[in-house]
PDB file of all heavy atoms in Angstrom:
ATOM      1  N   ARG A  20      38.962 -25.677-186.172  1.00 97.00           N
ATOM      2  CA  ARG A  20      40.023 -26.589-186.607  1.00 97.00           C
ATOM      3  C   ARG A  20      40.468 -27.433-185.426  1.00 97.00           C
ATOM      4  O   ARG A  20      40.641 -26.921-184.312  1.00 97.00           O
ATOM      5  CB  ARG A  20      41.200 -25.789-187.176  1.00 97.00           C
ATOM      6  CG  ARG A  20      42.223 -26.611-187.908  1.00 97.00           C
ATOM      7  CD  ARG A  20      43.226 -25.726-188.628  1.00 97.00           C
ATOM      8  NE  ARG A  20      42.606 -24.936-189.687  1.00 97.00           N
ATOM      9  CZ  ARG A  20      43.294 -24.230-190.574  1.00 97.00           C
ATOM     10  NH1 ARG A  20      44.632 -24.229-190.530  1.00 97.00           N
ATOM     11  NH2 ARG A  20      42.669 -23.533-191.496  1.00 97.00           N
ATOM     12  N   GLU A  21      40.662 -28.728-185.673  1.00 97.00           N
ATOM     13  CA  GLU A  21      41.031 -29.638-184.586  1.00 97.00           C
ATOM     14  C   GLU A  21      42.225 -30.492-184.967  1.00 97.00           C
ATOM     15  O   GLU A  21      42.488 -30.758-186.138  1.00 97.00           O
ATOM     16  CB  GLU A  21      39.856 -30.547-184.210  1.00 97.00           C
ATOM     17  CG  GLU A  21      39.427 -31.507-185.309  1.00 97.00           C
ATOM     18  CD  GLU A  21      38.363 -32.490-184.836  1.00 97.00           C
ATOM     19  OE1 GLU A  21      37.976 -32.467-183.650  1.00 97.00           O
ATOM     20  OE2 GLU A  21      37.908 -33.297-185.671  1.00 97.00           O
ATOM     21  N   LEU A  22      42.907 -30.942-183.942  1.00 98.00           N
ATOM     22  CA  LEU A  22      44.061 -31.823-184.124  1.00 98.00           C
ATOM     23  C   LEU A  22      43.623 -33.185-184.638  1.00 98.00           C
ATOM     24  O   LEU A  22      42.668 -33.777-184.132  1.00 98.00           O
ATOM     25  CB  LEU A  22      44.785 -32.003-182.783  1.00 98.00           C
ATOM     26  CG  LEU A  22      45.797 -33.134-182.702  1.00 98.00           C
ATOM     27  CD1 LEU A  22      47.049 -32.785-183.493  1.00 98.00           C
ATOM     28  CD2 LEU A  22      46.148 -33.448-181.249  1.00 98.00           C
ATOM     29  N   VAL A  23      44.337 -33.683-185.620  1.00 98.00           N
ATOM     30  CA  VAL A  23      44.157 -35.063-186.068  1.00 98.00           C
ATOM     31  C   VAL A  23      45.327 -35.897-185.559  1.00 98.00           C
ATOM     32  O   VAL A  23      45.130 -36.873-184.842  1.00 98.00           O
ATOM     33  CB  VAL A  23      44.058 -35.150-187.607  1.00 98.00           C
ATOM     34  CG1 VAL A  23      43.953 -36.608-188.043  1.00 98.00           C
ATOM     35  CG2 VAL A  23      42.881 -34.346-188.127  1.00 98.00           C
ATOM     36  N   ALA A  24      46.535 -35.517-185.941  1.00 98.00           N
ATOM     37  CA  ALA A  24      47.717 -36.259-185.512  1.00 98.00           C
ATOM     38  C   ALA A  24      48.956 -35.411-185.728  1.00 98.00           C
ATOM     39  O   ALA A  24      49.001 -34.591-186.652  1.00 98.00           O
ATOM     40  CB  ALA A  24      47.853 -37.568-186.293  1.00 98.00           C
ATOM     41  N   THR A  25      49.947 -35.603-184.864  1.00 98.00           N
ATOM     42  CA  THR A  25      51.242 -34.942-185.030  1.00 98.00           C
ATOM     43  C   THR A  25      52.357 -35.945-184.838  1.00 98.00           C
ATOM     44  O   THR A  25      52.165 -37.003-184.208  1.00 98.00           O
ATOM     45  CB  THR A  25      51.435 -33.795-184.025  1.00 98.00           C
ATOM     46  OG1 THR A  25      51.388 -34.317-182.701  1.00 98.00           O
ATOM     47  CG2 THR A  25      50.373 -32.720-184.191  1.00 98.00           C
ATOM     48  N   ILE A  26      53.528 -35.607-185.361  1.00 97.00           N
ATOM     49  CA  ILE A  26      54.694 -36.465-185.217  1.00 97.00           C
ATOM     50  C   ILE A  26      55.934 -35.584-185.142  1.00 97.00           C
ATOM     51  O   ILE A  26      56.093 -34.641-185.926  1.00 97.00           O
ATOM     52  CB  ILE A  26      54.786 -37.482-186.380  1.00 97.00           C
ATOM     53  CG1 ILE A  26      55.953 -38.440-186.171  1.00 97.00           C
ATOM     54  CG2 ILE A  26      54.876 -36.788-187.732  1.00 97.00           C
ATOM     55  CD1 ILE A  26      55.924 -39.647-187.103  1.00 97.00           C
ATOM     56  N   THR A  27      56.799 -35.866-184.175  1.00 93.00           N
ATOM     57  CA  THR A  27      58.023 -35.096-184.037  1.00 93.00           C
ATOM     58  C   THR A  27      59.099 -35.645-184.969  1.00 93.00           C
ATOM     59  O   THR A  27      58.936 -36.714-185.576  1.00 93.00           O
ATOM     60  CB  THR A  27      58.543 -35.165-182.599  1.00 93.00           C
ATOM     61  OG1 THR A  27      59.017 -36.495-182.337  1.00 93.00           O
ATOM     62  CG2 THR A  27      57.451 -34.813-181.593  1.00 93.00           C
ATOM     63  N   SER A  28      60.219 -34.935-185.062  1.00 89.00           N
ATOM     64  CA  SER A  28      61.326 -35.410-185.887  1.00 89.00           C
ATOM     65  C   SER A  28      61.907 -36.709-185.346  1.00 89.00           C
ATOM     66  O   SER A  28      62.538 -37.466-186.085  1.00 89.00           O
ATOM     67  CB  SER A  28      62.408 -34.343-185.983  1.00 89.00           C
ATOM     68  OG  SER A  28      62.835 -33.957-184.695  1.00 89.00           O
ATOM     69  N   ALA A  29      61.660 -36.998-184.069  1.00 91.00           N
ATOM     70  CA  ALA A  29      62.124 -38.248-183.451  1.00 91.00           C
ATOM     71  C   ALA A  29      61.108 -39.369-183.605  1.00 91.00           C
ATOM     72  O   ALA A  29      61.355 -40.491-183.152  1.00 91.00           O
ATOM     73  CB  ALA A  29      62.432 -38.024-181.976  1.00 91.00           C
ATOM     74  N   GLY A  30      59.955 -39.071-184.196  1.00 93.00           N
ATOM     75  CA  GLY A  30      58.956 -40.104-184.438  1.00 93.00           C
ATOM     76  C   GLY A  30      57.918 -40.279-183.343  1.00 93.00           C
ATOM     77  O   GLY A  30      57.151 -41.236-183.364  1.00 93.00           O
ATOM     78  N   ILE A  31      57.872 -39.354-182.406  1.00 96.00           N
ATOM     79  CA  ILE A  31      56.870 -39.440-181.341  1.00 96.00           C
ATOM     80  C   ILE A  31      55.546 -38.910-181.884  1.00 96.00           C
ATOM     81  O   ILE A  31      55.485 -37.810-182.437  1.00 96.00           O
ATOM     82  CB  ILE A  31      57.308 -38.629-180.122  1.00 96.00           C
ATOM     83  CG1 ILE A  31      58.609 -39.215-179.568  1.00 96.00           C
ATOM     84  CG2 ILE A  31      56.230 -38.637-179.049  1.00 96.00           C
ATOM     85  CD1 ILE A  31      59.262 -38.373-178.505  1.00 96.00           C
ATOM     86  N   THR A  32      54.498 -39.692-181.715  1.00 97.00           N
ATOM     87  CA  THR A  32      53.201 -39.351-182.311  1.00 97.00           C
ATOM     88  C   THR A  32      52.158 -39.001-181.250  1.00 97.00           C
ATOM     89  O   THR A  32      52.266 -39.401-180.087  1.00 97.00           O
ATOM     90  CB  THR A  32      52.667 -40.521-183.147  1.00 97.00           C
ATOM     91  OG1 THR A  32      52.528 -41.680-182.306  1.00 97.00           O
ATOM     92  CG2 THR A  32      53.612 -40.856-184.290  1.00 97.00           C
ATOM     93  N   MET A  33      51.174 -38.255-181.704  1.00 97.00           N
ATOM     94  CA  MET A  33      50.026 -37.919-180.864  1.00 97.00           C
ATOM     95  C   MET A  33      48.799 -37.872-181.771  1.00 97.00           C
ATOM     96  O   MET A  33      48.888 -37.377-182.898  1.00 97.00           O
ATOM     97  CB  MET A  33      50.220 -36.574-180.176  1.00 97.00           C
ATOM     98  CG  MET A  33      49.089 -36.193-179.230  1.00 97.00           C
ATOM     99  SD  MET A  33      49.497 -34.762-178.216  1.00 97.00           S
ATOM    100  CE  MET A  33      49.631 -33.500-179.457  1.00 97.00           C
ATOM    101  N   TYR A  34      47.676 -38.387-181.274  1.00 98.00           N
ATOM    102  CA  TYR A  34      46.454 -38.452-182.073  1.00 98.00           C
ATOM    103  C   TYR A  34      45.279 -37.811-181.337  1.00 98.00           C
ATOM    104  O   TYR A  34      45.196 -37.867-180.109  1.00 98.00           O
ATOM    105  CB  TYR A  34      46.094 -39.910-182.374  1.00 98.00           C
ATOM    106  CG  TYR A  34      47.082 -40.611-183.271  1.00 98.00           C
ATOM    107  CD1 TYR A  34      48.161 -41.310-182.743  1.00 98.00           C
ATOM    108  CD2 TYR A  34      46.951 -40.557-184.656  1.00 98.00           C
ATOM    109  CE1 TYR A  34      49.075 -41.944-183.570  1.00 98.00           C
ATOM    110  CE2 TYR A  34      47.853 -41.197-185.489  1.00 98.00           C
ATOM    111  CZ  TYR A  34      48.912 -41.890-184.941  1.00 98.00           C
ATOM    112  OH  TYR A  34      49.819 -42.509-185.755  1.00 98.00           O
ATOM    113  N   GLY A  35      44.353 -37.250-182.126  1.00 97.00           N
ATOM    114  CA  GLY A  35      43.108 -36.795-181.556  1.00 97.00           C
ATOM    115  C   GLY A  35      42.281 -38.003-181.127  1.00 97.00           C
ATOM    116  O   GLY A  35      42.373 -39.078-181.733  1.00 97.00           O
ATOM    117  N   ASP A  36      41.459 -37.831-180.107  1.00 96.00           N
ATOM    118  CA  ASP A  36      40.706 -38.957-179.559  1.00 96.00           C
ATOM    119  C   ASP A  36      39.800 -39.608-180.596  1.00 96.00           C
ATOM    120  O   ASP A  36      39.607 -40.826-180.587  1.00 96.00           O
ATOM    121  CB  ASP A  36      39.866 -38.484-178.367  1.00 96.00           C
ATOM    122  CG  ASP A  36      40.712 -38.167-177.155  1.00 96.00           C
ATOM    123  OD1 ASP A  36      41.868 -38.638-177.082  1.00 96.00           O
ATOM    124  OD2 ASP A  36      40.229 -37.433-176.267  1.00 96.00           O
ATOM    125  N   SER A  37      39.251 -38.820-181.492  1.00 95.00           N
ATOM    126  CA  SER A  37      38.274 -39.356-182.438  1.00 95.00           C
ATOM    127  C   SER A  37      38.899 -40.192-183.554  1.00 95.00           C
ATOM    128  O   SER A  37      38.167 -40.884-184.269  1.00 95.00           O
ATOM    129  CB  SER A  37      37.475 -38.207-183.057  1.00 95.00           C
ATOM    130  OG  SER A  37      38.324 -37.349-183.790  1.00 95.00           O
ATOM    131  N   VAL A  38      40.218 -40.147-183.692  1.00 97.00           N
ATOM    132  CA  VAL A  38      40.851 -40.887-184.791  1.00 97.00           C
ATOM    133  C   VAL A  38      41.795 -41.984-184.308  1.00 97.00           C
ATOM    134  O   VAL A  38      42.337 -42.736-185.120  1.00 97.00           O
ATOM    135  CB  VAL A  38      41.621 -39.946-185.740  1.00 97.00           C
ATOM    136  CG1 VAL A  38      40.711 -38.833-186.243  1.00 97.00           C
ATOM    137  CG2 VAL A  38      42.868 -39.377-185.084  1.00 97.00           C
ATOM    138  N   LYS A  39      41.999 -42.073-182.997  1.00 95.00           N
ATOM    139  CA  LYS A  39      42.899 -43.104-182.465  1.00 95.00           C
ATOM    140  C   LYS A  39      42.469 -44.488-182.932  1.00 95.00           C
ATOM    141  O   LYS A  39      41.289 -44.795-182.963  1.00 95.00           O
ATOM    142  CB  LYS A  39      42.914 -43.034-180.936  1.00 95.00           C
ATOM    143  CG  LYS A  39      43.706 -41.872-180.378  1.00 95.00           C
ATOM    144  CD  LYS A  39      43.654 -41.858-178.854  1.00 95.00           C
ATOM    145  CE  LYS A  39      44.440 -40.681-178.299  1.00 95.00           C
ATOM    146  NZ  LYS A  39      44.350 -40.601-176.822  1.00 95.00           N
ATOM    147  N   ALA A  40      43.433 -45.303-183.273  1.00 94.00           N
ATOM    148  CA  ALA A  40      43.238 -46.691-183.713  1.00 94.00           C
ATOM    149  C   ALA A  40      42.700 -46.790-185.140  1.00 94.00           C
ATOM    150  O   ALA A  40      42.582 -47.895-185.674  1.00 94.00           O
ATOM    151  CB  ALA A  40      42.321 -47.468-182.779  1.00 94.00           C
ATOM    152  N   ARG A  41      42.387 -45.652-185.765  1.00 98.00           N
ATOM    153  CA  ARG A  41      41.926 -45.679-187.155  1.00 98.00           C
ATOM    154  C   ARG A  41      42.909 -44.993-188.103  1.00 98.00           C
ATOM    155  O   ARG A  41      43.045 -45.395-189.258  1.00 98.00           O
ATOM    156  CB  ARG A  41      40.558 -44.997-187.280  1.00 98.00           C
ATOM    157  CG  ARG A  41      39.455 -45.666-186.496  1.00 98.00           C
ATOM    158  CD  ARG A  41      38.106 -45.063-186.833  1.00 98.00           C
ATOM    159  NE  ARG A  41      38.028 -43.639-186.498  1.00 98.00           N
ATOM    160  CZ  ARG A  41      37.718 -42.677-187.366  1.00 98.00           C
ATOM    161  NH1 ARG A  41      37.468 -42.967-188.630  1.00 98.00           N
ATOM    162  NH2 ARG A  41      37.660 -41.410-186.964  1.00 98.00           N
ATOM    163  N   PHE A  42      43.576 -43.947-187.610  1.00 98.00           N
ATOM    164  CA  PHE A  42      44.499 -43.176-188.442  1.00 98.00           C
ATOM    165  C   PHE A  42      45.934 -43.438-187.975  1.00 98.00           C
ATOM    166  O   PHE A  42      46.181 -43.658-186.785  1.00 98.00           O
ATOM    167  CB  PHE A  42      44.219 -41.685-188.326  1.00 98.00           C
ATOM    168  CG  PHE A  42      42.925 -41.224-188.941  1.00 98.00           C
ATOM    169  CD1 PHE A  42      41.957 -42.120-189.393  1.00 98.00           C
ATOM    170  CD2 PHE A  42      42.669 -39.868-189.066  1.00 98.00           C
ATOM    171  CE1 PHE A  42      40.773 -41.680-189.945  1.00 98.00           C
ATOM    172  CE2 PHE A  42      41.493 -39.409-189.632  1.00 98.00           C
ATOM    173  CZ  PHE A  42      40.540 -40.324-190.058  1.00 98.00           C
ATOM    174  N   THR A  43      46.859 -43.370-188.925  1.00 98.00           N
ATOM    175  CA  THR A  43      48.269 -43.534-188.611  1.00 98.00           C
ATOM    176  C   THR A  43      49.071 -42.449-189.322  1.00 98.00           C
ATOM    177  O   THR A  43      48.938 -42.278-190.547  1.00 98.00           O
ATOM    178  CB  THR A  43      48.784 -44.911-189.042  1.00 98.00           C
ATOM    179  OG1 THR A  43      48.014 -45.934-188.400  1.00 98.00           O
ATOM    180  CG2 THR A  43      50.252 -45.078-188.651  1.00 98.00           C
ATOM    181  N   ILE A  44      49.896 -41.742-188.569  1.00 98.00           N
ATOM    182  CA  ILE A  44      50.756 -40.715-189.147  1.00 98.00           C
ATOM    183  C   ILE A  44      52.171 -41.262-189.263  1.00 98.00           C
ATOM    184  O   ILE A  44      52.631 -42.013-188.401  1.00 98.00           O
ATOM    185  CB  ILE A  44      50.728 -39.423-188.305  1.00 98.00           C
ATOM    186  CG1 ILE A  44      51.429 -38.279-189.050  1.00 98.00           C
ATOM    187  CG2 ILE A  44      51.310 -39.639-186.911  1.00 98.00           C
ATOM    188  CD1 ILE A  44      51.218 -36.912-188.395  1.00 98.00           C
ATOM    189  N   ALA A  45      52.825 -40.899-190.360  1.00 97.00           N
ATOM    190  CA  ALA A  45      54.206 -41.344-190.574  1.00 97.00           C
ATOM    191  C   ALA A  45      54.990 -40.210-191.205  1.00 97.00           C
ATOM    192  O   ALA A  45      54.426 -39.368-191.912  1.00 97.00           O
ATOM    193  CB  ALA A  45      54.225 -42.576-191.477  1.00 97.00           C
ATOM    194  N   ARG A  46      56.275 -40.213-190.952  1.00 94.00           N
ATOM    195  CA  ARG A  46      57.120 -39.107-191.425  1.00 94.00           C
ATOM    196  C   ARG A  46      58.372 -39.676-192.074  1.00 94.00           C
ATOM    197  O   ARG A  46      58.961 -40.636-191.585  1.00 94.00           O
ATOM    198  CB  ARG A  46      57.486 -38.216-190.251  1.00 94.00           C
ATOM    199  CG  ARG A  46      58.344 -37.010-190.579  1.00 94.00           C
ATOM    200  CD  ARG A  46      58.400 -36.104-189.370  1.00 94.00           C
ATOM    201  NE  ARG A  46      59.271 -34.964-189.579  1.00 94.00           N
ATOM    202  CZ  ARG A  46      59.363 -33.933-188.741  1.00 94.00           C
ATOM    203  NH1 ARG A  46      58.630 -33.907-187.650  1.00 94.00           N
ATOM    204  NH2 ARG A  46      60.182 -32.933-189.001  1.00 94.00           N
ATOM    205  N   ASP A  47      58.749 -39.069-193.170  1.00 90.00           N
ATOM    206  CA  ASP A  47      59.990 -39.411-193.851  1.00 90.00           C
ATOM    207  C   ASP A  47      60.883 -38.177-193.797  1.00 90.00           C
ATOM    208  O   ASP A  47      60.726 -37.253-194.597  1.00 90.00           O
ATOM    209  CB  ASP A  47      59.699 -39.820-195.297  1.00 90.00           C
ATOM    210  CG  ASP A  47      60.929 -40.332-196.019  1.00 90.00           C
ATOM    211  OD1 ASP A  47      62.056 -39.931-195.652  1.00 90.00           O
ATOM    212  OD2 ASP A  47      60.779 -41.120-196.951  1.00 90.00           O
ATOM    213  N   ASN A  48      61.792 -38.153-192.851  1.00 85.00           N
ATOM    214  CA  ASN A  48      62.634 -36.972-192.670  1.00 85.00           C
ATOM    215  C   ASN A  48      63.554 -36.730-193.879  1.00 85.00           C
ATOM    216  O   ASN A  48      63.842 -35.588-194.228  1.00 85.00           O
ATOM    217  CB  ASN A  48      63.472 -37.100-191.398  1.00 85.00           C
ATOM    218  CG  ASN A  48      62.639 -36.990-190.144  1.00 85.00           C
ATOM    219  OD1 ASN A  48      61.668 -36.228-190.087  1.00 85.00           O
ATOM    220  ND2 ASN A  48      62.990 -37.756-189.123  1.00 85.00           N
ATOM    221  N   ALA A  49      63.962 -37.797-194.525  1.00 85.00           N
ATOM    222  CA  ALA A  49      64.851 -37.654-195.685  1.00 85.00           C
ATOM    223  C   ALA A  49      64.137 -36.972-196.853  1.00 85.00           C
ATOM    224  O   ALA A  49      64.754 -36.234-197.626  1.00 85.00           O
ATOM    225  CB  ALA A  49      65.378 -39.011-196.115  1.00 85.00           C
ATOM    226  N   LYS A  50      62.826 -37.225-196.969  1.00 84.00           N
ATOM    227  CA  LYS A  50      62.041 -36.637-198.055  1.00 84.00           C
ATOM    228  C   LYS A  50      61.262 -35.404-197.595  1.00 84.00           C
ATOM    229  O   LYS A  50      60.537 -34.812-198.390  1.00 84.00           O
ATOM    230  CB  LYS A  50      61.069 -37.672-198.624  1.00 84.00           C
ATOM    231  CG  LYS A  50      61.765 -38.846-199.302  1.00 84.00           C
ATOM    232  CD  LYS A  50      60.749 -39.804-199.916  1.00 84.00           C
ATOM    233  CE  LYS A  50      61.441 -40.951-200.633  1.00 84.00           C
ATOM    234  NZ  LYS A  50      60.469 -41.902-201.226  1.00 84.00           N
ATOM    235  N   ASN A  51      61.407 -35.057-196.318  1.00 87.00           N
ATOM    236  CA  ASN A  51      60.687 -33.901-195.780  1.00 87.00           C
ATOM    237  C   ASN A  51      59.198 -34.021-196.038  1.00 87.00           C
ATOM    238  O   ASN A  51      58.541 -33.092-196.538  1.00 87.00           O
ATOM    239  CB  ASN A  51      61.219 -32.605-196.398  1.00 87.00           C
ATOM    240  CG  ASN A  51      62.708 -32.479-196.244  1.00 87.00           C
ATOM    241  OD1 ASN A  51      63.237 -32.560-195.152  1.00 87.00           O
ATOM    242  ND2 ASN A  51      63.411 -32.305-197.357  1.00 87.00           N
ATOM    243  N   ALA A  52      58.668 -35.183-195.720  1.00 93.00           N
ATOM    244  CA  ALA A  52      57.268 -35.461-196.012  1.00 93.00           C
ATOM    245  C   ALA A  52      56.595 -36.122-194.817  1.00 93.00           C
ATOM    246  O   ALA A  52      57.251 -36.760-193.987  1.00 93.00           O
ATOM    247  CB  ALA A  52      57.154 -36.363-197.239  1.00 93.00           C
ATOM    248  N   VAL A  53      55.294 -35.961-194.765  1.00 96.00           N
ATOM    249  CA  VAL A  53      54.493 -36.613-193.739  1.00 96.00           C
ATOM    250  C   VAL A  53      53.242 -37.155-194.421  1.00 96.00           C
ATOM    251  O   VAL A  53      52.733 -36.561-195.375  1.00 96.00           O
ATOM    252  CB  VAL A  53      54.130 -35.631-192.603  1.00 96.00           C
ATOM    253  CG1 VAL A  53      53.242 -34.505-193.097  1.00 96.00           C
ATOM    254  CG2 VAL A  53      53.499 -36.362-191.434  1.00 96.00           C
ATOM    255  N   ALA A  54      52.789 -38.303-193.944  1.00 98.00           N
ATOM    256  CA  ALA A  54      51.616 -38.937-194.531  1.00 98.00           C
ATOM    257  C   ALA A  54      50.634 -39.300-193.437  1.00 98.00           C
ATOM    258  O   ALA A  54      51.021 -39.502-192.276  1.00 98.00           O
ATOM    259  CB  ALA A  54      52.011 -40.179-195.317  1.00 98.00           C
ATOM    260  N   LEU A  55      49.375 -39.393-193.820  1.00 98.00           N
ATOM    261  CA  LEU A  55      48.320 -39.787-192.893  1.00 98.00           C
ATOM    262  C   LEU A  55      47.504 -40.899-193.543  1.00 98.00           C
ATOM    263  O   LEU A  55      46.830 -40.669-194.559  1.00 98.00           O
ATOM    264  CB  LEU A  55      47.419 -38.600-192.559  1.00 98.00           C
ATOM    265  CG  LEU A  55      46.327 -38.877-191.531  1.00 98.00           C
ATOM    266  CD1 LEU A  55      46.967 -39.057-190.136  1.00 98.00           C
ATOM    267  CD2 LEU A  55      45.319 -37.734-191.489  1.00 98.00           C
TER     268      LEU A  55
END
């Protein structure tokens, strides 16, 4: 299992090298949801 992307509650993101510039992670704290 490998990292794709993470996002903190403050919106700080991190991406795996193989998906940078192609994938985008987003978080909706009000809905307790995350999307890729």
Side-chain angles (χ1 to χ4, degrees):
R20 192 171 295 190
E21 65 174 358
L22 166 73
V23 177
T25 61
I26 184 167
T27 70
S28 56
I31 298 171
T32 59
M33 183 169 65
Y34 294 91
D36 289 341
S37 63
V38 306
K39 285 179 181 177
R41 298 188 298 124
F42 291 10
T43 302
I44 190 169
R46 181 170 176 171
D47 186 333
N48 290 324
K50 295 183 178 179
N51 306 306
V53 64
L55 183 71

